[in-house]
């Protein structure tokens, strides 16, 4: 029974954030702190021959780090080890670091940086996914492949041989910037033992240390990482902070001073990761009755200049290119190719939004080719319990995708509204349409990743700063706006069966917390939440045994509703009294728990066969749109959505996640646009990179259906990413319904709508 | 090759600027009149601070803040026009009853400038002096046939029409020793209607892709007796569309005339492609805005 789980508990960190008390990285009071600046390549690609130092500037006043100063190897130790920390011979993107500078003032650091000039022999560069795909179609060998993976199920030839018709389309999506409120920021403080203490805005404390070991030449235990309050991340602070941490650490180790680097907004947009641009070619075999016989997909991501974690984005992408539909013959070819732009990286959804954008646009195209309604086509093909996915994973009893679809259709009154759509003939100067998208999102790490990750959580019963007993949750999962600091105490208090007053969740510091894995992949509530719940049950057991032996004369005792009670004697003592006695007699106490992936989950990482995720969240979005014929402006009026994210830990926070994610998806679908000009994003300020405001937000009509994760309590699945997945195709499908025109690239802007109408008119 | 430099590194900071805060107009004009004390005029700084910070415009050595000069804060009806001091903020323009009643499309335009913080700092004089073709207020002043009053210590006041004041891309007819004192805008007469429309990349806090204002009137028989219209973001400055005005004025306002006006408007503008939109779309939608204005006028109670 849950007392706290399922309740809309007010955010525990809300008050201090609203009052402006929270200290972010730039607010940390660090005495004698120097400022770091990165000197960057002004060209996209070439050979770095030397650095010119302006003889007029006195470099003795500052600290300069060049590759020769790196104690260990000059390599960023991510999935590919192809990226140097500081370029030493090759330049692969504009903005690549060529030197680091620190000085006692920001101004002096900037002055010094402006006096260091890289000398580069420039070479021709490749900038866009359009260039990549053009080359891929003509001579793919000319591309530089950073990663690749396939999925094979059945025989794709047999599937197409079985088909009455084949529908083939291509779909494109562009860069997207996370645009968290707080820009990237980090401070490195040299420690007396030769180690370094890093504090900053980051999602994954246990990524930073291990990724810096070989660069800094320090053992892992000498790299301490503490999260400061994070003002938004969305994946942008997953792998990227390792770079800023490395710059700060290298400067701090050489100068012996604390060094901080805080990006301004312009630098943050220019020189941090974006969502990977994508191209999908969906080729689908269909029988006349609507049955899908074959799904063949080419899926390409623009990786930017280096590998970083693009392979994992690719894996999640290809695993979602056919997800949700029954099909005996599947063939997916995924590639990440290099372009000479800043390496693309993690962003909410992590490949799935790109894949689902193509898949769900394409499912409408298939329905239309068959003369079926989008609803009838999805009803016919969507996964039911017992069906298998593209990797052969069986949909089990603990989820029911068709129910999500049906309930959303009812909630939105889809079929009735669709009868009123304008279908290419505007009424009173307005096109109106409604569109649907049905989708799943794998919760947790891909395949058996959670087994290899072995996430740990600890609970400490100890004294707080005021000498009162407190239970501190020790996890490396981070609060970045989504509510970790609130849901974890809810879960722990339910595992302990106490009130939430005794439970705290401090910001993680690798000196104190075990590795619960990164805060990514919609895994925190499901994986770490259940690990915390288990740890709380263990602590409750220890306390019950102690109470029985020490305070209840050996009678069996149960902790429930904040009191220890003996059913035998009828005696009862409050939690706090027992906790105080425990601390006085035994001292502080720590319990550990580790996440266990059920043995039934089997995965082949070579062939991509088996259970690709421990569980899935499901969603259905319905978008209602209007296009004004006077201006071609597109307005999304209303979005209906039902989501199965497992057991709701905190319905208010969950709804906040969904509304925020949908609004981010709205921007992806109709607004957020970046072009590369001379190797840099043209929309590089908040003035030019446009995200939705409250006035752009549609009316949201949202609901949840709870099919809990069955392998661990309390049974949450993923919520963080799924709201990002489905809105873009729902909008594109609604625009098609309204105007009779299919858009195969996002964002769909008034300019594109104008061009499409003009093209249609001149063709007619 | 020569390094193009890192757009992220700006060495100078705002603290490096020597900023004067004169307490009245004559003090300000005296500072401006002397090359030794002359500085960049700052009237809120909502455009300049961004340009300086980004490095697109060099930070000046000296600046003169005119935001609090009492002579520049006037906002009242004087005879047939509204006198609007150059330091009147966007927030005052959107909120003041005198502007809302007498110049509703100027109030509507001011309400779309940035967010509240920008509206409370930014001023009409600053916006016009910034002379961006995407400035939100210039089309309203053009459509309302406003005049600009500038002053210098040496030559006193000088009055120009808005149209003659806007010389080109980020160029206005203002001498180094002059500053804008006020705008004089004819009050909307009984039976005159105004309209404003701005198309931006989003519903609020947006710089325009294109925008326009009109003031017009039609007689009981449907004849257009007045039509003044201006568009922004379609040329090097905000522009009056005289050809459209001439084609429409004195004519019966019917569907054929509206279609003709749309075509003339589209033909008479030469917009560019930039980060916010394309030349083709702007050229087309410029005509569409004129259509929208004329349909609005046609539907007005006096029509």
């Amino acid at each position: 029974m849950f007392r706290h789980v399922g309740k809309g508990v007010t955010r525990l960190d809300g008050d201090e954030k609203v009052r402006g008390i929270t200290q972010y990285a730039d607010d940390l009071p660090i005495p004698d702190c120097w400022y770091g600046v990165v000197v960057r390549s002004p060209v996209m690609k070439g050979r770095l021959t030397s650095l010119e130092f302006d003889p007029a500037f006195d470099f003795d006043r500052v600290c300069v780090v060049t590759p020769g100063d790196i104690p260990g190897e000059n390599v960023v130790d991510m999935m590919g080890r192809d990226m140097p920390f500081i370029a030493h011979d090759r330049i692969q993107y504009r903005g690549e670091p060529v030197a680091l500078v620190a000085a006692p003032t920001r101004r002096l650091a900037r002055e010094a940086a402006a006096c260091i000039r890289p000398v580069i022999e420039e070479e021709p560069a490749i900038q866009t996914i359009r260039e990549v795909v053009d080359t891929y179609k003509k001579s793919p060998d000319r591309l530089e492949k950073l990663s690749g993976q396939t999925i094979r199920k059945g025989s794709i030839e047999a599937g197409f041989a079985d088909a009455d018709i084949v529908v083939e389309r291509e779909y494109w999506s562009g860069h997207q910037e996370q645009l968290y409120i707080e820009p990237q920021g980090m401070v490195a403080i040299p420690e007396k033992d030769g180690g370094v203490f890093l504090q900053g805005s980051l999602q994954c404390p246990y990524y930073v240390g291990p990724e810096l070991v070989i660069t800094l030449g320090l053992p892992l235990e000498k790299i301490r990482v503490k999260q400061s309050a994070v003002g938004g991340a969305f994946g942008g602070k997953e792998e990227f902070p390792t770079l800023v941490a490395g710059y700060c650490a290298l400067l701090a180790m050489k100068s012996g001073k604390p060094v901080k680097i805080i990006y301004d907004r312009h630098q943050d947009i220019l020189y941090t990761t974006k969502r990977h641009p994508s191209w999908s070619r969906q080729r689908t075999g269909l029988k006349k009755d609507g049955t899908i016989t074959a799904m063949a997909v080419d899926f390409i991501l623009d990786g930017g200049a280096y590998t970083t974690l693009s392979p994992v984005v690719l894996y999640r992408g290809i695993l979602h290119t056919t997800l949700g539909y029954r099909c005996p013959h599947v063939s997916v070819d995924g590639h990440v190719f290099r372009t000479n732009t800043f390496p693309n990286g993690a962003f909410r959804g992590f490949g799935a939004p790109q894949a689902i954008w193509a898949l769900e646009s394409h499912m409408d195209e298939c329905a239309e080719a068959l003369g079926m309604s989008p609803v009838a086509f999805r009803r016919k093909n969507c996964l039911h319990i017992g069906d298998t996915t593209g990797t052969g994973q069986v949909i089990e009893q603990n989820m029911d995708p068709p129910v999500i679809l049906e309930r959303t259709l009812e909630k939105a009154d889809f079929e009735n509204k669709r009868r009123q759509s304008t279908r290419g003939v505007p009424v009173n100067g307005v096109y109106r349409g409604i569109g649907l998208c049905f989708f799943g999102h794998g919760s947790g790490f891909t395949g058996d990743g959670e087994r290899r990750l072995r996430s740990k959580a600890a609970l400490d019963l100890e004294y707080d700063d005021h000498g009162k007993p407190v239970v501190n949750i020790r996890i490396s999962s981070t609060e970045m706006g989504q509510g970790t600091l609130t849901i974890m105490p809810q879960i722990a208090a339910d595992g302990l069966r106490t009130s939430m007053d005794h439970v705290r969740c401090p910001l993680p510091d690798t000196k104190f917390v075990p590795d619960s894995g990164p805060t990514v992949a919609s895994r925190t509530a499901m994986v770490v939440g259940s690990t915390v719940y288990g740890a709380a049950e263990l602590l409750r057991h220890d306390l019950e045994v102690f109470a029985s032996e020490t305070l209840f004369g050996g009678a069996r005792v149960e902790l429930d509703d904040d009191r220890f009670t003996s059913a035998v004697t009828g005696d009862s003592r409050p939690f706090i009294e027992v906790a105080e006695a425990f601390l006085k007699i035994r001292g502080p106490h720590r319990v550990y728990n580790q996440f266990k992936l059920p043995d039934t989950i089997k995965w082949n990482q070579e062939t991509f066969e088996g259970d690709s995720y421990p569980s899935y969240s499901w969603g259905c979005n319905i978008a209602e749109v209007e296009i004004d014929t006077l201006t071609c402006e597109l307005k999304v009026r209303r979005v209906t959505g039902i989501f199965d994210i497992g057991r709701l830990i905190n319905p208010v926070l969950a709804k906040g996640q969904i509304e925020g994610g949908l609004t981010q998806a709205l921007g992806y679908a109709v607004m957020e646009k970046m072009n590369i000009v001379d190797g840099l994003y043209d929309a590089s300020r908040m003035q030019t990179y446009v995200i939705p405001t409250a006035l752009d937000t549609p009316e949201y009509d949202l609901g949840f259906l709870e099919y809990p994760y069955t392998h661990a309590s309390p049974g949450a699945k993923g919520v963080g990413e799924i709201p990002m997945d489905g809105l873009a195709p729902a909008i594109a499908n609604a625009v098609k319904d309204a105007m009779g025109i299919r858009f195969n690239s996002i964002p769909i802007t008034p300019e594109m709508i104008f061009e499409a109408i003009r093209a249609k008119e001149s063709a007619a | 090759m020569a390094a193009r430099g890192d757009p992220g590194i700006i060495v100078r900071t705002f603290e490096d600027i020597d900023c004067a805060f004169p307490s009245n107009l004559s003090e300000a004009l005296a500072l401006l009149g002397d090359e030794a004390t002359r500085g960049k005029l700052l009237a809120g700084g909502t455009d300049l601070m961004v340009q300086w910070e980004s490095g697109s415009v060099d930070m000046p050595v000296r600046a003169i803040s005119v935001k609090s000069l009492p002579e520049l804060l006037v906002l009242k009806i004087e005879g047939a026009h509204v006198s609007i001091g150059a330091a009147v903020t966007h927030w005052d323009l959107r909120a003041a009853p005198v502007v809302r009643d007498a110049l509703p499309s100027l109030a509507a335009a001011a309400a779309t400038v940035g967010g509240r913080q920008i509206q409370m700092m930014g001023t009409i004089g600053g916006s016009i002096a910034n002379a961006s073709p995407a400035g939100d207020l210039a089309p309203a002043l053009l459509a309302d046939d406003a005049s600009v009053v500038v002053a210098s210590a040496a030559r006193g006041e000088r009055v120009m029409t808005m149209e003659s004041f806007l010389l080109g891309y980020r160029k206005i007819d203002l001498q180094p020793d002059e500053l804008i004192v006020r705008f004089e805008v004819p009050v909307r007469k009984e039976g005159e209607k105004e309209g404003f429309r701005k198309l931006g990349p989003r519903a609020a806090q947006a710089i325009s892709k294109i925008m326009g204002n009109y003031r017009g009137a039609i007689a009981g028989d449907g004849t257009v007796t007045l039509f003044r219209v201006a568009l922004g973001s379609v040329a090097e400055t905000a522009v009056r569309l005289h050809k459209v005005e001439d084609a429409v004025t004195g004519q019966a306002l019917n569907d054929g005339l509206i279609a003709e006006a749309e075509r003339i408007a589209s033909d008479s503008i030469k917009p560019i492609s930039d980060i916010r939109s394309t030349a083709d779309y702007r050229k087309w939608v410029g005509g569409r805005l004129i259509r929208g204005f004329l349909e609005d006028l046609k539907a007005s109670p006096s029509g």
Side-chain angles (χ1 to χ4, degrees):
Chain A
M1 203 201 88
F2 299 111
R3 284 198 167 84
H4 310 294
V5 164
K7 297 234 162 59
V9 173
T10 306
R11 299 186 67 102
L12 299 180
D13 56 337
D15 187 82
E16 63 165 60
K17 282 179 176 157
V18 170
R19 288 175 197 278
I21 296 165
T22 304
Q23 289 198 321
Y24 297 89
D26 200 23
D27 304 320
L28 298 172
I30 313 281
D32 196 22
C33 189
W34 284 29
Y35 294 85
V37 171
V38 181
V39 185
R40 299 178 183 278
S41 164
V43 305
M44 282 175 269
K45 189 175 178 187
R47 201 170 66 83
L48 174 65
T49 55
S50 64
L51 291 177
E52 283 177 356
F53 291 82
D54 186 342
F57 186 85
D58 175 12
F59 281 95
D60 289 342
R61 297 151 68 201
V62 302
C63 170
V64 179
V65 167
T66 57
D69 297 304
I70 294 177
E73 286 180 59
N74 183 13
V75 59
V76 180
D77 190 14
M78 290 186 190
M79 295 198 63
R81 293 180 59 176
D82 53 345
M83 177 157 76
F85 244 100
I86 304 171
H88 49 91
D89 55 353
R90 304 290 312 160
I91 295 294
Q92 290 289 7
Y93 66 92
R94 184 165 177 194
E96 186 159 6
V98 295
L100 310 171
V101 179
T105 66
R106 192 168 282 162
R107 178 181 174 141
L108 186 60
R110 287 176 178 180
E111 265 180 51
C115 293
I116 302 173
R117 279 166 45 133
V119 181
I120 300 165
E121 291 169 7
E122 200 170 352
E123 295 168 8
I126 181 163
Q127 298 191 62
T128 65
I129 188 148
R130 295 268 169 187
E131 295 167 63
V132 167
V133 173
D134 283 350
T135 310
Y136 176 75
K137 287 177 176 173
K138 282 181 251 159
S139 44
D141 295 345
R142 283 176 45 213
L143 292 167
E144 288 184 79
K145 188 161 164 174
L146 299 176
S147 182
Q149 181 62 47
T150 60
I151 297 172
R152 300 283 184 263
K153 178 189 182 187
S155 154
I156 197 69
E157 293 79 12
F160 282 116
D162 228 16
D164 295 320
I165 63 165
V166 174
V167 178
E168 181 182 316
R169 303 276 189 278
E170 298 178 19
Y171 304 92
W172 303 80
S173 68
H175 283 101
Q176 189 184 18
E177 158 63 29
Q178 295 89 354
L179 217 73
Y180 29 70
I181 298 172
E182 181 209 13
Q184 301 280 348
M186 190 76 65
V187 54
I189 303 169
E191 304 236 79
K192 289 196 187 79
D193 65 357
V196 63
F197 176 28
L198 292 152
Q199 264 184 292
S201 190
L202 51 89
Q203 284 174 245
C204 311
Y206 275 100
Y207 272 2
V208 177
E211 287 173 351
L212 289 178
V213 164
I214 63 165
T215 309
L216 302 183
L218 290 172
L220 184 56
E221 59 274 17
K222 288 202 173 176
I223 307 171
R224 176 181 167 192
V225 179
K226 185 178 179 189
Q227 185 213 13
S228 52
V230 169
F234 310 108
K237 294 169 185 172
E238 178 173 342
E239 81 282 20
F240 178 81
T242 296
L243 299 182
V244 200
Y247 306 150
C248 288
L250 289 166
L251 287 165
M253 287 166 72
K254 184 171 179 189
S255 67
K257 302 282 184 188
V259 174
K260 79 170 168 182
I261 293 181
I262 310 289
Y263 281 18
D264 65 24
R265 179 65 61 187
H266 185 49
Q267 290 175 310
D268 196 289
I269 296 181
L270 286 177
Y271 306 128
T272 68
T273 53
K274 306 282 169 283
R275 185 185 302 289
H276 293 73
S278 78
W279 171 79
S280 296
R281 181 165 54 199
Q282 285 268 358
R283 191 162 174 260
T284 307
L286 301 160
K287 283 203 174 292
K288 278 183 190 149
D289 71 354
T291 309
I292 301 176
T293 62
M295 297 177 90
V297 186
D298 292 288
F299 184 74
I300 290 180
L301 294 177
D302 167 355
Y306 293 105
T307 307
T308 63
L309 46 56
S310 292
V312 208
V313 179
L314 179 69
Y315 300 158
R316 189 172 280 270
I318 62 171
L319 288 168
H320 287 75
T321 52
T322 62
L323 183 68
Y325 296 93
R326 187 188 317 115
C327 179
H329 308 290
V330 173
S331 174
V332 183
D333 286 349
H335 307 277
V336 182
F337 292 113
R338 169 178 275 170
T339 57
N340 298 104
T341 62
F342 200 95
N344 292 308
F347 191 158
R348 193 179 207 169
F350 209 73
Q354 294 96 314
I356 292 167
W357 147 246
L359 172 65
E360 281 298 294
S361 297
H362 193 63
M363 290 298 100
D364 261 37
E365 288 289 276
C366 288
E368 180 168 317
L370 290 162
M372 288 175 82
S373 84
V375 172
F377 180 73
R378 284 181 176 81
R379 276 189 183 131
K380 177 133 195 114
N381 291 292
C382 101
L383 290 174
H384 286 63
I385 293 167
D387 287 335
T388 59
T389 67
T391 63
Q393 182 167 10
V394 179
I395 298 299
E396 296 189 82
Q397 302 285 348
N398 59 358
M399 54 183 94
D400 201 354
V403 172
I404 314 299
L405 175 63
E406 296 300 338
R407 291 285 174 79
T408 316
L409 293 168
E410 280 164 33
K411 195 175 174 66
D413 195 18
F414 183 84
E415 306 263 27
N416 276 329
K417 282 186 181 154
R418 191 157 184 271
R419 277 183 215 111
Q420 291 149 34
S421 299
T422 52
R423 308 283 162 80
V425 184
V427 176
N428 297 327
V430 177
Y431 294 105
R432 273 190 197 82
I434 187 164
L436 162 69
C437 174
F438 166 71
F439 50 101
H441 195 99
S443 306
F445 265 33
T446 299
D448 59 355
E450 295 294 346
R451 188 172 292 140
R452 283 178 278 121
L453 207 54
R454 292 193 295 237
S455 292
K456 284 168 271 303
L459 291 186
D460 283 327
L461 173 64
E462 57 194 348
Y463 291 112
D464 68 11
D465 292 343
H466 309 291
K468 287 237 166 76
V470 65
V471 176
N472 278 319
I473 301 167
R474 302 296 186 184
I475 51 176
S476 62
S477 304
T478 49
E479 171 69 57
M480 46 183 159
Q482 83 284 43
T484 302
L485 291 187
T486 306
I487 66 160
M488 289 303 171
Q490 286 181 263
I491 291 169
D494 266 345
L496 279 166
R497 300 192 196 154
T498 64
S499 85
M500 287 178 63
D501 298 346
H502 316 302
V503 185
R504 301 275 178 278
C505 192
L507 296 179
D509 178 338
T510 56
K511 194 172 174 182
F512 301 112
V513 302
D515 186 357
S516 345
T519 313
V520 303
S522 303
R523 64 184 294 280
T524 300
M526 180 176 93
V527 173
V528 185
S530 65
T531 312
V532 165
Y533 188 80
E537 287 183 315
L538 292 172
L539 180 58
R540 171 161 52 86
H541 175 78
D542 289 354
L543 291 171
E544 285 170 347
V545 170
F546 167 81
S548 166
E549 289 170 355
T550 317
L551 301 167
F552 286 78
R556 190 162 173 276
V557 171
E558 268 196 32
L559 171 56
D560 193 24
D561 201 11
D562 233 18
R563 294 188 74 81
F564 290 84
T565 307
S566 164
V568 184
T569 65
D571 280 359
S572 174
R573 289 164 190 270
F575 170 82
I576 202 77
E577 185 187 326
V578 175
E580 267 171 4
F582 190 107
L583 284 169
K584 207 169 280 173
I585 296 168
R586 301 257 178 99
H589 182 59
R590 170 173 278 208
V591 294
Y592 279 101
N593 189 34
Q594 184 173 311
F595 181 74
K596 286 171 204 72
L597 195 67
D599 295 337
T600 50
I601 293 186
K602 306 246 190 278
W603 176 245
N604 186 328
Q605 181 67 27
E606 299 298 310
T607 62
F608 267 49
E609 288 172 296
D611 302 316
S612 50
Y613 292 97
S615 193
Y616 293 86
S617 291
W618 296 97
C620 181
N621 289 169
I622 290 170
E624 295 166 50
V625 305
E626 288 178 8
I627 296 104
D628 179 356
T629 56
L630 189 70
T631 60
C632 288
E633 286 177 299
L634 164 64
K635 177 86 186 161
V636 181
R637 290 280 172 204
R638 185 182 171 88
V639 171
T640 307
I642 290 184
F643 293 87
D644 160 25
I645 56 167
R647 188 178 310 286
L648 292 172
I649 306 297
N650 185 319
V652 175
L653 291 176
K655 197 169 172 219
Q657 281 280 78
I658 300 286
E659 288 184 351
L662 285 172
T663 306
Q664 207 159 29
L666 175 74
Y668 189 45
V670 304
M671 260 177 219
E672 297 181 35
K673 193 175 168 64
M674 304 187 127
N675 299 302
I676 311 272
V677 178
D678 292 334
L680 296 177
Y681 310 113
D682 59 351
S684 59
R685 300 174 182 281
M686 289 183 90
Q687 187 189 52
T688 44
Y689 189 76
V690 175
I691 66 168
T693 65
L695 285 183
D696 298 284
T697 316
E699 183 186 343
Y700 290 127
D701 184 10
L702 304 173
F704 293 103
L705 281 177
E706 294 181 73
Y707 289 87
Y709 178 63
T710 47
H711 302 294
S713 279
K717 298 191 288 193
V719 59
E721 294 171 286
I722 192 167
M724 187 71 224
D725 287 343
L727 191 53
I731 289 170
N733 291 342
V735 171
K736 172 73 195 275
D737 186 48
M739 302 179 65
I741 296 174
R742 165 66 54 187
F743 287 90
N744 72 344
S745 82
I746 42 173
I748 303 169
T749 61
E751 288 78 4
M752 284 165 59
I753 292 171
F754 160 69
E755 294 293 343
I757 291 175
R758 203 161 67 164
K760 194 179 168 186
E761 282 170 357
S762 67
Chain B
M1 60 155 289
R4 282 190 287 261
D6 173 5
I9 298 181
I10 305 296
V11 172
R12 297 195 66 205
T13 66
F14 295 146
E15 291 85 60
D16 297 326
I17 300 170
D18 174 11
C19 191
F21 295 87
S23 53
N24 57 46
L25 180 60
S26 61
E27 275 183 42
L29 292 178
L31 290 171
L32 268 183
D34 184 347
E35 275 187 51
T37 55
R38 191 173 291 164
K40 179 74 189 170
L41 291 170
L42 197 55
T46 53
D47 282 310
L48 287 175
M49 303 276 279
V50 176
Q51 292 161 9
W52 294 340
E53 190 275 340
S54 71
S56 68
V57 170
D58 283 341
M59 261 181 230
V61 176
R62 282 187 307 276
I64 301 171
S65 174
V66 296
K67 193 170 189 297
S68 303
L69 301 183
E71 296 86 346
L72 271 58
L73 292 170
V74 57
L75 179 58
K76 61 182 179 195
I77 292 185
E78 285 182 346
H81 65 256
V82 185
S83 186
I84 304 173
V88 167
T89 64
H90 305 301
W91 184 262
D92 290 335
L93 292 177
R94 77 177 283 184
V98 54
V99 184
R100 291 162 69 115
D101 294 344
L103 310 167
S105 84
L106 177 64
T112 70
V113 178
R116 289 195 173 193
Q117 297 90 335
I118 296 289
Q119 289 177 9
M120 289 187 178
M121 282 303 291
T123 59
I124 184 171
S127 176
I128 296 301
N130 186 51
S132 160
D136 288 306
L137 304 185
L141 294 175
L142 286 171
D144 286 346
D145 207 17
S147 299
V148 190
V149 180
V150 303
S152 63
R155 297 176 303 284
E157 286 193 350
R158 190 159 70 89
V159 184
M160 288 158 281
T161 63
M162 260 306 284
E163 210 172 1
S164 63
F165 187 63
L166 302 176
L167 295 178
Y169 180 73
R170 295 198 176 276
K171 252 180 93 181
I172 48 173
D173 185 2
L174 190 73
Q175 298 304 307
D177 62 346
E178 287 178 325
L179 60 74
I180 304 172
V181 181
R182 65 183 180 278
F183 299 86
E184 292 176 350
V185 195
V187 172
R188 180 175 60 121
K189 295 195 192 80
E190 188 73 29
E192 289 180 356
K193 191 167 187 194
E194 290 195 354
F196 165 72
R197 180 129 190 207
K198 170 172 165 176
L199 306 185
R202 64 182 165 202
Q205 303 243 29
I207 295 174
S208 69
K209 291 176 176 181
I210 184 169
M211 82 292 211
N213 293 68
Y214 84 93
R215 182 184 287 190
I218 44 176
D221 65 354
T223 307
V224 178
T225 55
L226 172 73
F227 191 65
R228 274 195 312 262
V229 67
L231 295 178
S233 295
V234 296
E236 295 195 324
T237 67
V239 288
R240 273 273 295 272
L241 301 188
H242 292 289
K243 281 184 189 165
V244 174
E245 295 173 2
D246 293 346
V248 167
T249 309
Q251 305 294 313
L253 187 53
N254 54 36
D255 292 349
L257 185 68
I258 292 174
E260 175 71 359
E262 178 182 344
R263 189 190 59 74
I264 295 171
S266 186
D267 287 349
S268 63
I269 55 176
K270 292 190 181 63
I272 57 163
S273 293
D274 63 15
I275 194 162
R276 279 182 282 278
S277 192
T278 63
D280 284 354
Y281 173 75
R282 282 176 164 138
K283 200 166 171 55
W284 171 77
V285 86
R288 302 295 285 173
L289 288 194
I290 301 309
R291 165 179 287 276
F293 288 156
L294 288 169
E295 284 174 350
D296 182 46
L297 179 63
K298 195 177 164 202
S300 66
S302 65

